[in-house]
């Protein structure tokens, strides 16, 4: 590419975090999960995390210094309703003060209502596969809508419902730790309904608001390109994992199809056309192999192009970003990149990663995909769920002994592109050029 590619003047550059991963001091289903020794390191604890709750007002300038004008953050349900039906007014006021501080600093909040974590009572008393989940959720969503009244914010109701369902309801790898296909489908249908309920509550109290979900999407590919069963698995994963939830929010019909294994259909009319934008979280490509014995699907990250996996072991594959972006045209909504990033423990690869993914984004735009925002995961290093404190996803490195936030080379590069809108290659290159 000889000419620099340009981002349009109204394109939004921002950063993202989630409450449990950064705030600290939260007791919820995940803190219980850790105590039960269910992270990779059974002694790992999120604990005081990176103290973003306490340090929030000092962290705001970290965002503005990047030239970012949007910040995706989440409300921790367990902080505001630690016991069912008991609101913590101080916590609500704390969130309001934080949102106002962002707005005052010229940063538009993109507020996530549910980012994986729940109050401790939720899975016991009103789990997602039961209708009672929606009663509890509606009360919470209405309080969130009150919180947002009068502020210029956007909302992602749910973060990666597909990850929560796969990990929490099929794989028993995260709370609530269930492995039950029937309950998983019931939970999925209720989460579609939950999006609709939250949207309704927000529109009623806040007026016109941009509302969507943040959907994790992987570029699925057959491990053996020639193998018909690996090919079929990739197609099924694309349909069920990537698109089923988005399709439901587009058409009002939720459909899961695993020929020979299972199928599910729920008609939720109110979900049709229930988003203002398509939120897309992209990290990598995954290869699928039919293994011949239960559970039949082998999921692998392969370094097919010998670029070096990212430190968490995911493939470096910006081309997949562009390919999925082109698929999203079908939803006929502006596309927001609600997350994209990598675990980069030296901090040296992130500028090149940004460059290659931004290039794909701009090429997709040139092909008519209306991508209007890019929110980097993450503003700063944080607690990475089952992997706990190993991964480093932050533009800012955090020294957890001193809690100091440290500028990295990617901060310079992010700022340069976000403020000039010109995509030029970062100085030096740690990555082989895309094939
Ligand atoms: O840290 C997570 C985030 O909570 C959800 N999306 C993927 C990120 C990296 O794994």
């Amino acid at each position: 590419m000889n000419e620099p590619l340009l981002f349009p003047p109204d394109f939004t550059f921002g950063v993202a975090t989630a409450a449990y991963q950064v705030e600290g001091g939260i007791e919820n289903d995940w803190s219980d999960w850790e105590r039960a020794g269910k992270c990779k390191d059974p002694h790992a604890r999120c604990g005081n995390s990176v103290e973003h709750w306490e340090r929030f007002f000092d962290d705001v300038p970290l965002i503005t210094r990047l030239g970012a004008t949007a910040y995706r953050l989440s409300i921790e349900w367990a902080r505001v309703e630690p016991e069912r039906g008991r609101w913590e007014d101080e916590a609500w006021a704390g969130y309001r003060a934080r949102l106002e501080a962002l707005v005052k600093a010229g940063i538009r909040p993109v507020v996530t209502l549910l980012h994986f974590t729940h109050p401790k009572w939720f899975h016991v008393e009103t789990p997602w596969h039961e209708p009672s989940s929606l009663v509890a959720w509606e009360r919470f969503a209405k309080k969130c809508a009150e919180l947002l009244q009068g502020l210029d914010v956007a909302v992602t109701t749910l973060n990666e419902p597909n990850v929560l369902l796969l990990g929490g309801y099929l794989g028993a790898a995260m709370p609530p730790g269930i492995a039950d296909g029937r309950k998983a489908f019931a939970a999925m249908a209720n989460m579609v309904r939950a999006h609709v309920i939250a949207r309704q509550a927000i529109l009623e109290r806040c007026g016109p608001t941009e509302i969507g979900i943040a959907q994790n999407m992987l570029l699925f590919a057959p491990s053996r390109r020639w193998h018909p069963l690996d090919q079929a698995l990739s197609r099924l994963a694309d349909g069920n994992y990537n698109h089923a939830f988005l399709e439901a929010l587009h058409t009002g019909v939720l459909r899961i199809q695993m020929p020979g294994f299972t199928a599910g259909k729920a008609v939720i009319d109110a979900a049709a056309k229930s988003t203002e934008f398509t939120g897309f979280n992209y990290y990598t490509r995954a290869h699928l192999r039919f293994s011949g014995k239960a559970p039949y699907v082998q999921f692998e990250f392969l370094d097919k192009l010998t670029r070096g996996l990212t430190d968490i072991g995911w493939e470096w594959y910006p081309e997949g970003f562009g390919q999925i972006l082109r698929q999203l045209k079908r939803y006929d909504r502006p596309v927001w990149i609600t997350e994209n990033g990598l675990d980069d423990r030296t901090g040296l690869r992130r500028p090149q990663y940004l460059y290659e993914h931004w290039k794909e984004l701009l090429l997709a735009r040139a092909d008519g995909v209306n991508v209007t925002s890019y929110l980097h995961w993450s503003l700063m290093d944080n607690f990475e769920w089952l992997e706990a404190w190993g991964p480093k996803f932050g533009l800012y490195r955090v020294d957890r002994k001193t809690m100091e936030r440290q500028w990295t080379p990617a901060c310079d590069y992010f700022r340069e592109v976000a403020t000039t809108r010109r995509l030029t290659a970062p100085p030096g290159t740690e990555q082989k050029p895309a094939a």
Side-chain angles (χ1 to χ4, degrees):
M1 187 175 46
N2 301 321
E3 291 299 311
L5 291 164
L6 293 178
F7 286 92
D10 57 354
F11 190 87
T12 300
F13 285 91
V15 284
T17 62
Y20 187 66
Q21 293 177 269
V22 289
E23 283 185 1
I26 296 168
E27 284 290 322
N28 61 15
D29 56 344
W30 258 92
S31 58
D32 279 353
W33 195 253
E34 291 156 26
R35 257 184 231 115
K38 293 190 176 173
C39 289
K40 275 199 181 156
D41 167 2
H43 304 291
R45 300 287 181 269
C46 182
N48 62 344
S49 190
V50 291
E51 297 183 353
H52 186 48
W53 182 257
E54 275 170 48
R55 294 165 188 265
F56 191 93
F57 300 97
D58 293 332
D59 286 341
V60 172
L62 300 179
I63 304 170
T64 47
R65 262 181 242 143
L66 294 170
T69 57
Y71 179 37
R72 178 170 171 239
L73 72 170
S74 71
I75 306 293
E76 180 61 42
W77 190 353
R79 191 184 277 289
V80 295
E81 195 181 3
E83 285 164 33
R84 191 169 166 204
R86 181 170 70 74
W87 299 123
E88 280 287 345
D89 292 337
E90 219 177 290
W92 284 115
Y95 276 121
R96 179 73 190 197
R98 284 160 178 75
L99 295 173
E100 284 176 359
L102 290 171
V103 173
K104 197 162 162 217
I107 301 162
R108 186 168 191 231
V110 179
V111 181
T112 302
L113 306 193
L114 189 86
H115 194 119
F116 293 160
T117 54
H118 304 78
K120 292 186 181 204
W121 50 265
F122 182 83
H123 304 302
V124 185
E125 297 180 32
T126 63
W128 279 118
H129 55 275
E130 299 288 350
S132 56
S133 58
L134 297 178
V135 178
W137 170 261
E138 184 164 19
R139 290 181 67 250
F140 170 63
K142 284 182 173 166
K143 287 288 283 185
C144 289
E146 275 170 32
L147 169 78
L148 304 179
Q149 254 172 346
L151 294 173
D152 176 24
V153 298
V155 175
T156 47
T157 54
L158 306 172
N159 178 70
E160 300 181 347
N162 52 354
V163 173
L164 178 60
L165 291 159
L166 192 63
Y169 277 86
L170 282 175
M174 59 198 271
I178 296 173
D180 179 325
R182 196 189 52 81
K183 286 184 180 164
F185 187 76
M188 188 174 192
N190 280 340
M191 293 187 92
V192 171
R193 296 184 184 103
H195 165 80
V196 175
I197 288 170
R199 182 162 184 271
Q200 189 66 29
I202 293 160
L203 294 178
E204 268 168 23
R205 281 165 189 74
C206 305
T209 308
E210 288 164 297
I211 303 172
I213 65 161
Q215 174 76 337
N216 183 281
M217 301 178 88
L218 295 157
L219 200 279
F220 290 104
S223 289
R224 297 160 293 186
R225 272 222 308 245
W226 49 270
H227 200 295
L229 291 175
D230 292 5
Q231 292 167 1
L233 280 179
S234 304
R235 279 194 302 275
L236 288 173
D238 186 52
N240 293 317
Y241 180 89
N242 283 342
H243 289 287
F245 211 98
L246 292 177
E247 284 287 344
L249 303 187
H250 182 56
T251 60
V253 181
L254 174 66
R255 206 187 299 266
I256 289 293
Q257 283 162 317
M258 295 289 287
F261 289 96
T262 184
K265 182 177 168 191
V267 178
I268 304 166
D269 289 329
K273 298 199 185 339
S274 65
T275 57
E276 276 67 37
F277 62 88
T278 303
F280 169 29
N281 295 358
Y282 179 77
Y283 290 89
T284 189
R285 165 166 79 169
H287 282 88
L288 298 180
R289 176 187 292 266
F290 183 79
S291 68
K293 57 177 187 327
Y296 301 107
V297 187
Q298 214 177 306
F299 183 97
E300 37 196 23
F301 298 113
L302 304 174
D303 190 12
K304 289 260 185 195
L305 300 162
T306 63
R307 293 167 175 168
L309 298 174
T310 65
D311 291 334
I312 203 169
W314 299 346
E315 188 179 3
W316 178 293
Y317 197 64
E319 295 87 340
F321 189 36
Q323 286 169 37
I324 298 178
L325 278 172
R326 287 171 181 80
Q327 296 176 6
L328 295 179
K329 269 192 199 175
R330 72 174 81 154
Y331 299 117
D332 196 24
R333 290 287 182 274
V335 176
W336 295 14
I337 309 310
T338 35
E339 288 180 25
N340 171 240
L342 81 162
D343 168 19
D344 175 20
R345 300 183 195 181
T346 64
L348 296 174
R349 299 179 86 192
R350 182 168 284 99
Q352 185 66 21
Y353 181 96
L354 282 171
Y355 171 62
E356 292 181 19
H357 286 74
W358 280 338
K359 192 164 80 177
E360 287 292 338
L361 187 161
L362 288 175
L363 292 173
R365 271 185 60 90
D367 274 356
V369 186
N370 185 20
V371 194
T372 59
S373 296
Y374 175 93
L375 309 179
H376 189 71
W377 185 272
S378 177
L379 168 64
M380 57 187 148
D381 294 338
N382 57 60
F383 180 79
E384 177 56 24
W385 308 113
L386 296 174
E387 305 277 339
W389 291 107
K392 305 251 177 277
F393 276 92
L395 280 164
Y396 289 91
R397 183 100 321 155
V398 179
D399 176 338
R400 283 193 75 237
K401 287 202 185 82
T402 60
M403 291 294 168
E404 189 195 351
R405 281 64 165 133
Q406 298 159 350
W407 185 262
T408 68
C411 295
D412 280 322
Y413 183 60
F414 188 99
R415 184 183 164 78
E416 169 75 15
V417 177
T419 54
T420 62
R421 317 254 129 193
R422 287 162 59 92
L423 182 64
T424 49
T429 183
E430 297 295 323
Q431 196 60 41
K432 291 185 184 172

